[in-house]
Amino acid sequence: MTMLSLSSSPHHHNRRDTGQVMRLVCYAAIPGILTNVWFFGFGILVQAAIAIVTALVTEGVIMELRKKKTERILKDYSAVLAALLLAISIPPLAPWWVIVIGTFFAIAIVKQLYGGLGYNMFNPAMAAYVMLLISFPVQMTSWLPPLSIAEQSHTLWDAIHTIFTGFTSTGFSVEQLKVGVDGATMATPLDAVKTALLQGYTVTEAQEHIIFDGQYGKGWFWVATAYLAGGLFLIKTKVINWHIPGSMLAAAALLSFVLFLLDGDQYASPLFHIFNGSLVLGAFFIATDPVSASTTIKGRLIFGAAIGFWVIIIRNWGGYPDAIAFAVLIMNMTVPLIDYYTQPRTYGHQSKARKSS
Amino acid sequence: MTLFADYDEIIERISVNQLWDFPGGVHPPQQKALSNQSNIETLPLDKTFYVPIKQHIGVDGRIIVSEGDSILKGQALTASEAPFSVPVHAPTSGIVKKVTEHVSAHPSGIPELSIIIDADGQDTWIPLKPVADYAKTGKSELIERICDAGISGMGGAGFPTHIKSNNTKPLEFLIINGIECEPYISSDDRLMREHAWQIRQGIDILVHILQPRQVIIAVEDNKPEALETMSIACQQKTNYQVVSVPTKYPAGGEKQLVQVLTSREVPSDGLPIDVGCIMYNVGTCYAIADAIVEGKPLIERVVTLTGKGFKSPKNVWARLGTPIQTLLKHGDYDDSTQSSPRFIMGGPMMGFTVTSLLTPIVKISNCILVPADNELPHPDDERACIRCSACSDACPASLLPQQLFWYSKSKELEKAEEYNLFDCIECGACAYVCPSEIPLVHYYRQAKADIRNQREEKERSDKAKIRFEARKARLQKEKEEREEKHRIAAEARKASLNKDGGAAKDKIAAALARAKAKKEALAKKQTQNDALGAPAPESDKTEVASIDEVSTESASSQTSAKTTNETEQAKPVLKSTANESSDITAEEDAEAKAAAKKKRVAAAVAKAKAKKLAAKQIKKENNES
Ligand code: SF4
Ligand code: SF4
């Protein structure tokens, strides 16, 4: 008799696998990345390319060493996604070795040392980001002003040249590129506000400063909007749930709004917080990393909201202008606890009341 | 505090078709159109049938035919003797060829006792005895008829229908399940479309038996024709309501359907009746009408033949016991579509692959699904869980499938139980959505089996332990009683000893005295003998005398030991304790014996001394004389 093939139910499966999920997240980041290129030059593309190559090589070598099916694991695209997220989080013209070290750390240490995909407690991209921020503070905070107001525009070749040699093809350093129209070194809006506040200015005064002259903040605003669009696409296609980004943005907005009401001179408005820095990117692409986020519905709401609060708290009172990475890592640590205490009520449990009546 | 809607609210919402929802659920492609287009066909009569004697949950009936018997169509092959047993009947007339083990319609395919029947081609019915007017027939008689007709739930679980129907608790809703939420299957759909009237009759009978306040006939909204035929069949009945339920898998699960219709949740350790509901599948209603109105036992059912492995998918009336190879032939199974043949009994979500083409159709077999190679993916590419929670979002029981998986895989079974593993209805929604293609249900089944085994083992060892403890306690008590008795006896002995003023001393003295006396007597005798001129071997005689004495003594001590022994054994001792008690007695015996021996030795020494002395004296006397 012919051998019959036996398998266990269900025999049906929907057609989206892990690789597709990860790929969809990568695709959803494309509008944000392109907007970033439009406003800030090609640096981000070069960083992404370096990061992805590093990630694949690192993961491949480790898989070989651990004698796993290399090809299958590379195909799950999780390494690519982690690399991409790190690449779009760091300054576009940071030296090449920064992203290489960061990506290697994310894949080899944060992900594989914990047992590979699904076992890592921390978000690899964010853990690597924090490591880089602590190890190379100068390179990690060298953000450029938008091209529209920069002295020097830079081409793709410039970007490559700068990332690998530290100078553009025409001989400018990153420091020089950072110099704005009035000859003063420029920072990101978050940075600028923080610095201005320390110098005794009010938020309004800081924002009236030239860098916000309809120009500087603009790039950041559009990049955030593009990531928002990508994020909504992910929710629409059910790759992510709305719970984490929703509660995270809501909590950040709520806290910043309360603070803004209390003292508008000291605290920036919710809109400022949402559209500057990587809050939107973080909400849709980073905090939603399934592996290191909470898994229950209530848990996801708590997880997201807590990240939102932390971001605003660290931005206002902490030492770093942007705070997504720290907030995400802090909350990653609490996930087991959150998950444990937010288990849903199983069907048929506690319906005893009815039974006795 | 009831979280749940009361009767009036439910009625109100149902009348405007505003139902509740259950959490999770999935929407796999329906594929019903493959098989639901044509009327149900009847299979030509097969040559051989394999009728398993147990096709339901519960215990088997007693086989009442033997090999070689001629039987008629509908004749009972087994008798229901236990409450949870349901008989099976001959699917056609013919001869009982064999009663033997045959591959079962179960995922394991483990052989089970089956009656193999050779058809004679006549297909002659037994005389049928329909109930003339069920409305004038008592509830218990109807229930008995249902049992005798061999009816068990035909929706999936195979629960004996007569047990379910013997309800005494207050019943609000009689729910008729025409959901059929599994993709591909259309047997209930066709049955409702073509035989709505008979289903309605079955419902009427159930209403007569159960007296519910309201009947709800639930049909998924992807079966508009069935909804219509059922509505027409039930339109004169005011308390029958045909309800259209939104299509979502697994809306047809008993617990989910109760929740959708009433918002109530069946307690995790309870039954639907605990929330005022009882549910029957439409196929079961059809069979009940057949049994009561026609007097026909359950010998056939509608089976869907579907999947792209069939050239002509359809629904057929298949007799119970028909091997699936017959159905394959009838649906024009095309083996070129499959590189590694896979035949699924049931639907793609909960069905199982059969191990043999001789697997018979049983009361719960609603579908034979033969997918073409590319139709349903083989889930053999399991990857690591990425904690995406797609599974918990899909779970209709609000479980955390990913945690269950984690603990099931690592065999942390208590943890799995803590996460309510046993509330999993194995619907497969979680595994369906898992992007890592983890066969989650498979892990749960394994874990459940492991836990059941552990429980059984624990129960066994617990029972053994209880038995052991009880025995130990009993022995301990007996030992204490015995010791107490011994102590009292010993005290008594001591007391009597004291009264005697040292029996042992006395004994020795007495022995000595006796020896002396004997010696004297001997001496006298000797003198007499000497005088008579017949010298006796003196030493011999003294020896004999002393032995006599010793044996008397030991005999007396043995007697005393024996008495204790006897008193002990005389009291009723359970067999199991006999060994131990005899051990103890042996020990005590040994002690007693040792003491006696000492005494005897002392006595013997004394006697020997006396003898020596006596001998000397005799010699002396002799010499003197
Ligand atoms: S198989 Fe069990 S765990 Fe999975 S979705 Fe169904 S009930 Fe939930
Ligand atoms: S759906 Fe699969 S991969 Fe996602 S959490 Fe559940 S088990 Fe893990």
Side-chain angles (χ1 to χ4, degrees):
Chain A
M1 208 184 98
T2 43
M3 270 303 289
L4 301 186
S5 136
L6 304 179
S7 57
S8 145
S9 67
H11 309 282
H12 210 347
H13 195 266
N14 78 354
R15 305 203 181 253
R16 187 181 282 166
D17 65 22
T18 316
Q20 277 165 307
V21 169
M22 300 287 173
R23 273 207 306 277
L24 278 169
V25 181
C26 295
Y27 297 154
I30 289 175
I33 294 174
L34 291 183
T35 317
N36 193 306
V37 170
W38 176 263
F39 284 101
F40 298 97
F42 291 98
I44 194 170
L45 283 185
V46 181
Q47 298 289 0
I50 304 175
I52 289 171
V53 170
T54 312
L56 289 179
V57 170
T58 309
E59 180 124 308
V61 168
I62 293 174
M63 284 300 109
E64 285 297 320
L65 290 179
R66 291 177 61 188
K67 307 223 180 326
K68 297 256 168 115
K69 292 185 203 150
T70 312
E71 192 203 350
R72 210 180 88 187
I73 290 184
L74 290 185
K75 269 212 276 193
D76 71 23
Y77 285 87
S78 60
V80 172
L81 179 58
L84 189 67
L85 291 177
L86 181 59
I88 62 185
S89 303
I90 71 169
L93 291 187
W96 63 274
W97 46 265
V98 168
I99 187 74
V100 169
I101 292 173
T103 312
F104 176 81
F105 180 81
I107 303 295
I109 312 286
V110 188
K111 187 175 162 196
Q112 294 298 345
L113 224 59
Y114 279 87
L117 180 63
Y119 296 92
N120 48 299
M121 178 174 181
F122 292 106
N123 185 317
M126 287 305 101
Y129 180 88
V130 166
M131 183 278 284
L132 292 176
L133 191 61
I134 294 169
S135 313
F136 313 108
V138 176
Q139 289 82 354
M140 286 296 286
T141 48
S142 296
W143 292 89
L144 293 178
L147 289 178
S148 53
I149 56 164
E151 294 272 271
Q152 313 290 330
S153 67
H154 29 274
T155 60
L156 176 61
W157 174 240
D158 269 340
I160 296 173
H161 214 275
T162 314
I163 289 168
F164 282 95
T165 65
F167 296 95
T168 62
S169 52
T170 47
F172 290 100
S173 71
V174 175
E175 269 314 304
Q176 286 166 316
L177 290 176
K178 277 182 73 176
V179 175
V181 278
D182 62 351
T185 295
M186 296 212 282
T188 66
L190 284 174
D191 256 337
V193 168
K194 194 159 193 80
T195 318
L197 283 172
L198 288 176
Q199 289 164 352
Y201 294 102
T202 65
V203 173
T204 337
E205 280 163 355
Q207 288 180 349
E208 275 163 7
H209 197 260
I210 178 160
I211 56 165
F212 292 105
D213 214 12
Q215 295 293 338
Y216 203 118
K218 213 174 174 190
W220 289 93
F221 172 81
W222 284 111
V223 171
T225 309
Y227 282 126
L228 179 66
L232 294 177
F233 162 78
L234 288 180
I235 291 178
K236 183 100 195 14
T237 51
K238 299 209 163 106
V239 173
I240 58 173
N241 294 83
W242 61 268
H243 305 96
I244 291 176
S247 62
M248 183 168 153
L249 292 178
L254 183 73
L255 182 57
S256 53
F257 185 61
V258 169
L259 293 173
F260 181 68
L261 282 187
L262 287 178
D263 186 354
D265 281 349
Q266 281 298 305
Y267 304 107
S269 73
L271 279 181
F272 176 83
H273 275 295
I274 288 175
F275 286 103
N276 283 293
S278 43
L279 190 63
V280 173
L281 172 69
F284 289 96
F285 291 84
I286 292 169
T288 50
D289 163 43
V291 178
S292 53
S294 173
T295 58
T296 62
I297 294 201
K298 260 188 262 165
R300 283 180 280 195
L301 289 173
I302 295 171
F303 179 78
I307 294 177
F309 281 125
W310 274 119
V311 168
I312 300 301
I313 289 170
I314 298 175
R315 277 185 180 181
N316 282 318
W317 294 288
Y320 293 91
D322 205 354
I324 306 295
F326 291 101
V328 168
L329 291 185
I330 291 169
M331 290 316 293
N332 281 165
M333 286 190 283
T334 67
V335 161
L337 204 67
I338 297 181
D339 277 1
Y340 185 80
Y341 285 106
T342 55
Q343 290 176 42
R345 181 181 65 81
T346 306
Y347 179 104
H349 285 246
Q350 78 88 87
S351 47
K352 308 257 149 59
R354 169 88 209 172
K355 199 178 165 187
S356 56
S357 73
Chain B
M1 176 210 78
T2 68
L3 266 168
F4 306 117
D6 63 11
Y7 179 80
D8 295 325
E9 191 187 343
I10 293 167
I11 292 296
E12 181 155 342
R13 286 184 67 145
I14 282 176
S15 64
V16 293
N17 217 335
Q18 247 204 355
L19 305 176
W20 283 268
D21 192 12
F22 64 91
V26 290
H27 294 94
Q30 289 300 307
Q31 310 285 20
K32 305 249 189 196
L34 220 53
S35 57
N36 70 2
Q37 302 299 317
S38 53
N39 283 351
I40 307 170
E41 291 177 18
T42 304
L43 287 184
L45 186 61
D46 224 324
K47 280 220 91 59
T48 314
F49 293 89
Y50 307 84
V51 184
I53 62 163
K54 191 182 143 200
Q55 306 181 21
H56 60 276
I57 292 175
V59 290
D60 354 326
R62 182 174 53 86
I63 299 178
I64 51 174
V65 290
S66 32
E67 289 177 13
D69 282 3
S70 284
I71 47 168
L72 293 177
K73 180 180 184 180
Q75 184 177 331
L77 302 174
T78 62
S80 158
E81 282 171 343
F84 267 85
S85 112
V86 172
V88 294
H89 300 79
T92 184
S93 59
I95 288 178
V96 176
K97 190 166 126 202
K98 238 183 160 121
V99 179
T100 182
E101 305 263 293
H102 183 75
V103 57
S104 65
H106 181 267
S108 64
I110 287 172
E112 61 181 357
L113 202 55
S114 308
I115 297 174
I116 301 175
I117 294 166
D118 263 344
D120 61 9
Q122 305 298 311
D123 212 20
T124 326
W125 272 105
I126 43 160
L128 300 179
K129 289 191 224 90
V131 175
D133 184 358
Y134 71 83
K136 295 206 183 81
T137 312
K139 178 179 159 170
S140 56
E141 196 193 327
L142 290 175
I143 291 174
E144 206 180 307
R145 289 277 195 142
I146 288 172
C147 175
D148 289 344
I151 301 174
S152 55
M154 292 167 78
F159 191 85
T161 302
H162 65 280
I163 302 271
K164 195 189 258 190
S165 312
N166 207 354
N167 171 53
T168 49
K169 297 184 183 169
L171 173 63
E172 287 179 341
F173 299 101
L174 170 60
I175 299 171
I176 306 302
N177 187 344
I179 296 289
E180 204 166 45
C181 57
E182 275 251 14
Y184 284 97
I185 307 178
S186 60
S187 54
D188 286 350
D189 181 14
R190 287 307 321 184
L191 191 71
M192 286 187 280
R193 287 204 223 174
E194 296 171 40
H195 300 282
W197 180 247
Q198 180 157 357
I199 294 171
R200 151 78 202 279
Q201 274 185 313
I203 300 173
D204 291 346
I205 295 165
L206 284 171
V207 168
H208 174 67
I209 297 173
L210 293 164
Q211 303 292 328
R213 288 178 75 182
Q214 176 78 14
V215 180
I216 307 174
I217 297 129
V219 182
E220 250 184 333
D221 61 9
N222 61 355
K223 295 183 264 295
E225 292 91 345
L227 267 166
E228 199 189 331
T229 49
M230 289 309 296
S231 305
I232 293 169
C234 299
Q235 63 194 358
Q236 321 101 311
K237 294 282 191 174
T238 49
N239 63 336
Y240 289 20
Q241 186 80 44
V242 179
V243 176
S244 161
V245 172
T247 299
K248 177 164 91 167
Y249 177 85
E254 190 172 58
K255 292 176 168 185
Q256 281 62 45
L257 188 52
V258 167
Q259 191 173 17
V260 167
L261 297 173
T262 68
S263 84
R264 298 174 184 176
E265 286 180 25
V266 181
S268 128
D269 52 355
L271 294 169
I273 188 61
D274 295 326
V275 292
C277 303
I278 291 186
M279 190 178 299
Y280 291 85
N281 169 267
V282 285
T284 315
C285 297
Y286 180 93
I288 289 172
D290 239 6
I292 305 296
V293 181
E294 311 275 338
K296 285 183 188 166
L298 176 58
I299 56 165
E300 63 179 356
R301 65 158 297 138
V302 186
V303 181
T304 303
L305 310 178
T306 186
K308 301 212 171 94
F310 281 114
K311 273 197 215 123
S312 36
K314 62 181 74 162
N315 282 285
V316 294
W317 281 108
R319 300 183 200 218
L320 308 180
T322 311
I324 64 166
Q325 62 183 19
T326 306
L327 294 135
L328 293 182
K329 215 183 302 156
H330 198 74
D332 298 322
Y333 163 58
D334 177 6
D335 62 1
S336 70
T337 60
Q338 292 194 311
S339 53
S340 57
R342 177 163 57 142
F343 305 103
I344 298 164
M345 201 173 226
M349 300 299 285
M350 293 183 79
F352 57 90
T353 46
V354 299
T355 52
S356 155
L357 292 183
L358 287 179
T359 307
I361 294 295
V362 295
K363 293 170 186 174
I364 55 171
S365 321
N366 49 5
C367 178
I368 304 295
L369 169 60
V370 185
D373 270 346
N374 54 359
E375 196 176 353
L376 298 175
H378 279 257
D380 52 2
D381 198 19
E382 175 177 348
R383 290 178 296 271
C385 165
I386 55 167
R387 297 180 23 109
C388 65
S389 319
C391 49
S392 30
D393 296 342
C395 178
S398 301
L399 294 164
L400 293 174
Q402 168 209 339
Q403 272 83 343
L404 289 178
F405 157 65
W406 185 265
Y407 294 124
S408 299
K409 192 175 180 182
S410 61
K411 302 267 175 228
E412 290 171 74
L413 300 176
E414 289 111 62
K415 274 291 206 176
E417 266 191 277
E418 224 175 85
Y419 277 84
N420 299 327
L421 176 65
F422 280 93
D423 286 290
C424 167
I425 56 169
E426 300 185 13
C427 67
C430 50
Y432 174 79
V433 296
C434 175
S436 293
E437 290 179 44
I438 303 170
L440 295 162
V441 184
H442 180 67
Y443 285 105
Y444 306 154
R445 286 206 189 105
Q446 255 172 1
K448 282 184 184 174
D450 286 349
I451 292 173
R452 283 197 194 104
N453 286 345
Q454 270 186 7
R455 275 192 197 154
E456 267 164 34
E457 208 143 280
K458 184 157 178 293
E459 225 164 81
R460 263 202 301 275
S461 77
D462 276 355
K463 266 188 204 148
K465 201 169 158 200
I466 290 169
R467 259 201 315 268
F468 175 76
E469 294 287 344
R471 173 165 176 265
K472 219 166 82 180
R474 204 175 52 230
L475 292 184
Q476 181 65 29
K477 199 167 150 227
E478 275 162 10
K479 195 175 157 198
E480 274 161 16
E481 280 170 7
R482 211 163 40 233
E483 271 165 5
E484 179 66 9
K485 212 172 265 171
H486 281 214
R487 197 179 53 78
I488 291 168
E491 261 166 22
R493 263 202 307 274
K494 219 193 233 159
S496 76
L497 255 176
N498 285 344
K499 212 159 64 187
D500 287 357
K505 240 192 262 162
D506 283 3
K507 265 185 192 162
I508 293 173
L512 278 175
R514 273 201 303 273
K516 219 179 197 171
K518 232 180 244 165
K519 193 175 63 189
E520 270 159 23
L522 243 153
K524 238 181 231 167
K525 224 180 186 178
Q526 188 89 40
T527 355
Q528 279 167 6
N529 281 350
D530 282 354
L532 287 169
E538 324 140 22
S539 56
D540 272 359
K541 266 191 192 158
T542 32
E543 195 103 14
V544 169
S546 67
I547 286 168
D548 270 348
E549 261 174 13
V550 171
S551 60
T552 343
E553 229 170 86
S554 78
S556 80
S557 85
Q558 260 166 12
T559 335
S560 81
K562 223 188 211 160
T563 3
T564 33
N565 247 356
E566 266 164 17
T567 45
E568 244 159 56
Q569 274 162 6
K571 86 177 161 221
V573 181
L574 276 171
K575 219 178 192 170
S576 60
T577 63
N579 273 342
E580 194 152 308
S581 79
S582 74
D583 270 1
I584 291 164
T585 4
E587 220 171 82
E588 283 170 358
D589 256 4
E591 262 171 49
K593 269 184 196 150
K597 206 171 165 192
K598 237 193 230 157
K599 261 192 245 167
R600 260 178 279 149
V601 170
V605 169
K607 266 179 284 188
K609 260 190 200 155
K611 224 190 276 168
K612 235 193 205 160
L613 224 107
K616 251 190 205 160
Q617 216 162 352
I618 290 168
K619 228 179 189 173
K620 214 171 152 190
E621 277 171 16
N622 278 354
N623 284 351
E624 275 171 13
S625 68

